[in-house]
Amino acid sequence: MRIISSSNRAAVAAIAAHSVSRDARVDRAAARIVSDVRRGGDAALRRWMAKLDGVRGPLELSPKELRAGWRATPPEVRRAIRLAVKNIQRVAERQLPRPFRLTVDRGLTIEQRVQPLARVGCYVPGGRY
């Protein structure tokens, strides 16, 4: 392992400039999946879950299932999760965009509103990624 100081601008620039090797086949497959899910919604998502991961089940867990999973999680893992949540929350709160309203000219006002989403979902397929 090589430790690079953030003051070493040349070394930092070299790391930032490093290009990531991309696989065109993976990019095409991912684009096809995203397109299919956009068109087909939850039904398409279920098909891809079954095909890629062999998962056949609900897209969401009920509160009861979540509580049962939490209780089944070893205490040391629960402590680590609680610490991670605390740390992530502290960082996320600092990253929150702030709403503002700015009059740039007579009769012309620009406003940024920060509005949280009520609900989001994320599917992370198993395997290499």
Side-chain angles (χ1 to χ4, degrees), residues 114-125:
V114 179
Q115 193 167 354
L117 301 172
R119 184 171 149 169
V120 298
C122 178
Y123 173 64
V124 181

Side-chain angles (χ1 to χ4, degrees), residues 50-128:
K51 180 177 180 176
L52 297 174
D53 297 318
V55 174
R56 299 184 196 297
L59 296 177
E60 294 181 73
L61 296 175
S62 70
K64 183 179 177 180
E65 291 169 309
L66 287 172
R67 284 190 298 273
W70 181 253
R71 284 191 301 271
T73 302
E76 64 274 10
V77 174
R78 290 194 307 239
R79 278 192 297 277
I81 291 171
R82 284 187 188 107
L83 178 60
V85 166
K86 180 181 168 187
N87 291 337
I88 291 167
Q89 193 169 28
R90 287 181 63 204
V91 171
E93 285 170 356
R94 296 287 302 266
Q95 293 175 326
L96 280 174
R98 300 213 182 335
F100 66 85
R101 186 180 190 117
L102 176 67
T103 300
V104 294
D105 203 353
R106 197 169 69 220
L108 180 58
T109 301
I110 297 174
E111 180 178 8
Q112 173 174 295
R113 295 181 188 174
V114 179
Q115 193 167 354
L117 301 172
R119 184 171 149 169
V120 298
C122 178
Y123 173 64
V124 181
R128 194 167 98 191

Side-chain angles (χ1 to χ4, degrees), residues 11 37 125 129:
V37 171
Y129 301 100

Side-chain angles (χ1 to χ4, degrees), residues 11-20:
V12 172
I15 291 170
H18 178 69
S19 66
V20 176

